[in-house]
Amino acid sequence: MKTKFKHFLISFIFVLFCVSSCQDEISQIEDQNEQETIVPGTNLANLMSRTATNDGAVDDFLDNASCFSVELPVTIVLSDITIIIETEADLFELEDLLSNVSVDDDILDFIFPITVIFSDYSEIVIENEDQLLNFIEACVEDDIDVIECVDFIYPISFSVFNSGFNLIETIVIENDEALYVFLEELDQDENTLIVSLDFPITLEYGNGETIEVNTNEELANAIEDADQFCEDENDDCVEDEVVLNLMECPWEVYVYTNNDLDNLDGPYFFNFNENAVLTIEGITTETHYTSWAINETDAGLELFIESFYYYEAEFGNWLIVECGDDELRFEHLSVDGTGMYFEQDCDDDLECSITDISSILQECPWDFTDGTGNYDNYQLIFNDNGELQISEGMAASAIGGYWSLSSTDNGVALTFSNLTAFQDSLGGEWIIISCNDNDESSNELTIIQDNTILELEQDCLGDLGCSVEDINADILECAWSLQTNLFDSFVPVYVHFGPDGNVFVEGADNLESPIGTWDLVTISTNIFIDFTFQQGYETLNGQWQVVECEQGELYLVNDDNNIVLEQACEVNNQDLLNCYSLYVLSQECDDNNDGIATFVFETNSLQTSECIALYPIAGSYHPTYEDAVNTTNHLNIQLTTPTELASQTIYFRVFNQETHEFAIQELELIVESCNDAVFSCFGDFEIVECDQPNNVPVYNLSANTIGLVDCTEVYYPSFHETLIDAQNDVNPIVNTEAYGTLVTEVYLRIEAESGNFEVFAVFLNTVECNYFECFGNYNLTACDEEDGAVDGLANFNLQQIFANCPNDDVEYNFYLSVADAEAQVGALVSPFTNYSNPQIIYSRVALASDNLVYEIFTHELIIEDCNSNDCTEGDIDGILTECQWNITSYNGSDNLIGYNFDFESNSGIVVIYNDTITIDASWITSQNNGVIIEFSNVAGPNIQAINGSWRVVECTAEQLVLHNVNDSNNEIVLDRTCE
C-alpha cells in the first residue's frame, strides 16, 4: 500500500501533462485559500502525523516494548492455553482479563513467526523468542511524541491541486496508517503539488466525546486540546471497587516525604480486612493492628487509617490520587509532600486448601495470641475426631470443645464450638486470612473474627525439643536398653519396638513372641508412651510421660517412677546387615496380568566370603516384621501382589546360629505391568467442540483419538465415563462418534494382546463458534430506472445479498421485521419490489441441521440514480478507445484482472486478451437513461460473464463503474492503462 502510494505521488507531474488528453473536464478552483493547504513540516502536519503514528504502547502487556506493536492476528500460549488475538477488541478484552488475575509473565509465549510494526508502520518479521528479546532490549522510545487522546473518524479525504489550483485528484484516507504514510510521502515529495483537507472533519477524544472542525486552525486547536479529554485514571477510583480491591490481596506500601519520590521508606505490608481491621507488618518486629475506612469527600476518595506509626499518629486522612487494579498512590491531606505508594502482592494470598489446613492443624499443638497476652500460656490441640483441647502449661487436663473447617463466601472458616471455657472470646466462626504451610519451619495461621485477630503458630517440638514423629522414628531404629526403679536388678533389659506396636525382649527364651505393646499418644501438649506388658513386666503398664528427649535417649516418668531408655543398636547386630543386606535385582514385570512376578535378591558379593568367615548365618523371608522376629510364615522367592499391582513389603531376617543374634531388613517389592509397545502410541487427548444451544456438545471420540493415532500394534480400545469403569472394563460408551455430554473428561482404555492395559484421559472442552462468520449486515442497491421509469422503485434479487457466502450448511429467508424473522412468518419472495427508499429488511440465517441456532441481520435496499454522472455516450466512446482498459473488480473480486481490453473505435470490435488467449468480441454504446455499454461474443473462461448490457454509473477519465442492466448487483470496475 505504501509503495503504490509513493509511485502515485511520483507520477503526479506526468499526470499534469497528460490530463488534458485523458479527461474531458478539469475542475478549476477559483477561491482556494492557500492558508488551508497542508504544508509539510508545519505544526498542523506534525500534529496530524503524531495523531496517526502507530502506538506501540497499546500491547505492552504482550511484548513489553512501547516502540513497536505486534501485528494482528497473533497466536499466544498462556498457561498452556492457546489464544488467537484477531482484533484490537480481543487485545483489550485479554488485557482486562489479565488485569484481574495474578499471572506470571514467564508463562505468556508467542507462536512464532510474528510481525512487529514500528511507529512509522515499517515492519519486520521475528522468527523466534531470542530475536524478540534482542529487539525489546534494543527498544528505544521514538522521538515522535504520540498523541493518544484523540483519533480521526475515517474516512477523510484530501484534494490535490497543481500550482494553478486545478483539482487533479481526491485522495480518500481510510485509517491511521494510510494518513501517516500520506503525510510522510508528502513531506518527501519535491514537486509543486498542493494538498488541502476536505472539511468538515470529525475527531473523537479519549473520553468518547466527538468534535467537528471546519478549518486548519480549528483542527490544530482540537488536537492540541486533546490531553484534557483523555480518560482520567482517577475516574476508575470508584468507592466500592477500591474497597474490594484493597481487600483482595495484601499490599506492599512505600512512604515518601518532601516529595522525594526516589527516597522511599518501606516496604510495609498492609492487609485490609472486611471488618475494618488493618494489619501492618514491617513497622517493628511485631504485627501492628489498627482500623481503616474509605470515605467519599468533595476532594475525592480518602483512606482513613487510625494509626500508622509516626506517619499517621499526628496527621489526618490520605487522598487517593492514582488508582489502578494493582497500584495505588495517596497524598497526605495535612502534610505537603508526604505520600504513599501501594503495590498489590497477591502472592501472599491464602494458598492452603481446606485439606491442607485440616492436615497441618492436626500435626502438632498450636501456640496462639491476640496480641494482648491473654493466651500466652495456652495451646490449641486439634484432634482428628473434631475434638478441640485448650491446654494450659504442663497440665495434663485441658479445656474441651470442638472444631471444624468449612468453605464460606468470605473464605475458609475455622469454627470453635461448645468450649468449656473461652466460649465468649474464642467461640464461633473465624476466617482464615493467612496460611503459611512451610516444610522447613513451623506452620502459621492468621484468623479473624469481627475486630479480633488471632495468630496461630505450630509448636511441634514443645518444651522437649523433639516431636512425636522424631520419637517414633528413633524408637524403631534399633534395640533399646531399659532401666527402671521398678526392677530390683539394675541389669538393663534390651527391648525391640516393632512398627506394628509389639514389644520384644532380647534373649533366647523370649524372642519368639511379643511380651507387650506400645503406643505414642499426645495428651494436651505432652507426649506419652503407653505400655501394656505381660510375662513378668506388668509393673511397667500405664502411660509414661516423655520429660527428656535427646538423641538416643528418652527419660519417662509416671508419678514417682521412671524409665530410662538408651539406644543399643549393637544388639541389633548391625554388622550382620552390613554384610548381608539385600537388594532387589530389578523391579519385575507381570507377564500375564495375574499379579505374580519372580524376584531375584543378591548380597554384596565382595563381602559375602568375609561374612561367612565371621558368622555361621541363616536367612529367611517373612511377610511381616513380627513374623521375621518370630521366624514364622516363611516366604519363597515367588511373591504375590494384589491385583492392582501395588507394592509389597517383606522382611529379611539374618540370624547368627552361634549367638542366636539376628537383624531384620525391610524390602519393598514392586510388580509392574509389562511395558507393551502399544502403550507408547497413546497419551492423554483433548477434543474441542462448539457450544450447542441446549448446552450439550457432541464429541466424535473415535475420529479425534483412535483415528488419528498411527499405531501398528494390536490393541482393543474402549471409552468410559469414569476411571473405575475404564479400569474394570465395564460400561463402555456406545455411541462414540456422536457422544453428547456435559462432562469434561472421559477415559480411554487401551488393552494389549497380553491382557495388560493402560487408561488415558480424554479432556472434553468447548468453545464458542461463529457459525455465520461470512454473513453480515450487507446492503443491496439497484438503479431507479430498471423498470423504465424514475419512480424510486426497483426489483431486488435478495439472494445476491449473501451471494459470496457458502449456503450448504445454512438456510436463510428475508422478512420485513425482526418479529417476523424471529417467528419465521411472512418470508419475502425474491425478486422483491421496495416501497420506500431506503427499504429496511431483515434476514434470519440458521444452521440447516439445527434451526434453533441462528442470527438476524439488517439490510438496506437502496435505489441509486444511475443518471447522476455527467458522461455522455460520446464521452464514453472517446475515453474507451483512447487507451487500453483492465477489469480491476468483478463483483468485488479480482478474478478477471488478468484480461486486457482494447476498444477499436470504428469496427465495433473489442480485443480481449491475456497471457494465453485472445478474444475478438463486440461492443456498442447507446443512450437510454444513461450510457449503456453492451458486450457480445465474449467467449473465454470466466470472462464470458460480462456478455450483456451494462449501465455506466460512475465515470472519470481513469475509471468506469458499470452495473448490469438486468441485475444491478453485478458490477464491473474498468481502470484505464494508457501505458
Side-chain angles (χ1 to χ4, degrees), residues 393-406:
M394 295 292 291
S397 61
I399 298 166
Y402 296 91
W403 68 279
S404 64
L405 288 170
S406 61

Side-chain angles (χ1 to χ4, degrees), residues 8-16 160 168-169 171 191 193:
F8 170 75
L9 286 175
I10 294 173
S11 64
F12 269 160
I13 299 298
F14 174 75
V15 172
L16 288 175
V160 181
I168 299 174
E169 185 62 276
I171 305 299
N191 59 41
L193 297 178

Side-chain angles (χ1 to χ4, degrees), residues 724-736:
I724 294 176
D725 285 350
Q727 291 172 337
N728 296 329
D729 196 17
V730 296
N731 302 322
I733 296 172
V734 178
N735 189 12
T736 57

Side-chain angles (χ1 to χ4, degrees), residues 138-183:
C139 183
V140 178
E141 294 298 330
D142 297 310
D143 293 335
I144 300 175
D145 183 12
V146 180
I147 297 177
E148 301 176 353
C149 301
V150 65
D151 291 302
F152 286 96
I153 301 297
Y154 295 100
I156 63 175
S157 61
F158 291 87
S159 295
V160 181
F161 305 89
N162 60 15
S163 58
F165 282 102
N166 293 317
L167 177 63
I168 299 174
E169 185 62 276
T170 298
I171 305 299
V172 178
I173 303 296
E174 299 287 350
N175 51 53
D176 281 344
E177 180 179 359
L179 177 58
Y180 183 88
V181 173
F182 177 82
L183 294 172

Side-chain angles (χ1 to χ4, degrees), residues 56 155 178 233 276 316 344 453 502 535 547 607 662 729 769 776 832 957 960:
E233 290 186 358
Q344 201 172 48
I453 292 180
N502 287 324
Q535 300 180 19
V547 294
Q607 296 179 340
F662 69 92
D729 196 17
C769 296
F832 170 74
L960 298 178

Side-chain angles (χ1 to χ4, degrees), residues 676-974:
D676 297 84
V678 64
F679 301 129
S680 62
C681 294
F682 299 91
D684 293 340
F685 299 90
E686 180 187 29
I687 305 176
V688 179
E689 291 291 344
C690 295
D691 281 333
Q692 299 298 317
N694 56 1
N695 294 323
V696 181
V698 177
Y699 299 90
N700 188 340
L701 300 179
S702 58
N704 284 279
T705 54
I706 300 299
L708 298 180
V709 175
D710 184 15
C711 188
T712 59
E713 305 293 330
V714 177
Y715 60 90
Y716 307 97
S718 58
F719 292 88
H720 304 264
E721 291 187 342
T722 67
L723 178 61
I724 294 176
D725 285 350
Q727 291 172 337
N728 296 329
D729 196 17
V730 296
N731 302 322
I733 296 172
V734 178
N735 189 12
T736 57
E737 294 189 2
Y739 176 58
T741 182
L742 290 174
V743 302
T744 58
E745 185 176 355
V746 294
Y747 301 90
L748 169 62
R749 173 192 171 99
I750 300 295
E751 185 172 319
E753 271 191 307
S754 65
N756 293 327
F757 70 90
E758 287 192 18
V759 177
F760 304 94
V762 181
F763 302 103
L764 306 179
N765 294 317
T766 60
V767 295
E768 292 185 5
C769 296
N770 185 0
Y771 297 102
F772 313 113
E773 184 175 4
C774 175
F775 298 84
N777 300 315
Y778 306 136
N779 298 331
L780 190 61
T781 61
C783 288
D784 191 19
E785 70 282 355
E786 281 189 345
D787 55 0
V790 179
D791 54 7
L793 301 179
N795 293 327
F796 289 87
N797 181 0
L798 302 182
Q799 301 306 315
Q800 290 296 320
I801 294 178
F802 297 135
N804 294 324
C805 294
N807 54 21
D808 51 345
D809 295 328
V810 300
E811 56 186 21
Y812 55 84
N813 285 295
F814 299 91
Y815 303 87
L816 289 176
S817 68
V818 174
D820 288 349
E822 293 279 3
Q824 301 183 71
V825 296
L828 301 179
V829 178
S830 182
F832 170 74
T833 302
N834 66 303
Y835 54 82
S836 66
N837 186 25
Q839 175 81 58
I840 305 297
I841 64 171
Y842 304 89
S843 61
R844 185 184 192 274
V845 184
L847 290 181
S849 59
D850 189 347
N851 193 257
L852 295 178
V853 181
Y854 68 91
E855 284 192 40
I856 293 178
F857 300 100
T858 303
H859 314 283
E860 284 191 2
L861 306 182
I862 303 171
I863 302 297
E864 291 183 337
D865 182 2
C866 297
N867 295 317
S868 60
N869 69 80
D870 296 328
C871 291
T872 66
E873 182 181 358
D875 296 333
I876 299 300
D877 290 341
I879 63 176
L880 281 177
T881 57
E882 192 170 33
C883 295
Q884 291 190 353
W885 294 75
N886 180 261
I887 296 184
T888 56
S889 172
Y890 179 74
N891 291 336
S893 169
D894 61 357
N895 291 341
L896 304 180
I897 198 170
Y899 286 97
N900 301 292
F901 288 70
D902 189 355
F903 293 89
E904 296 182 2
S905 58
N906 297 319
S907 65
I909 299 298
V910 55
V911 180
I912 305 173
Y913 65 93
N914 59 19
D915 293 337
T916 58
I917 65 173
T918 299
I919 304 167
D920 288 336
S922 300
W923 73 286
I924 189 173
T925 60
S926 61
Q927 189 83 35
N928 182 14
N929 294 327
V931 179
I932 306 296
I933 303 175
E934 183 174 354
F935 294 101
S936 59
N937 302 320
V938 181
N942 299 324
I943 193 67
Q944 75 273 8
I946 73 168
N947 281 311
S949 299
W950 299 82
R951 176 175 284 106
V952 179
V953 296
E954 291 184 24
C955 167
T956 67
E958 304 293 335
Q959 186 181 80
L960 298 178
V961 179
L962 316 179
H963 283 181
N964 191 279
V965 171
N966 296 318
D967 187 353
S968 62
N969 295 301
N970 289 342
E971 180 183 82
I972 293 175
V973 178
L974 287 171

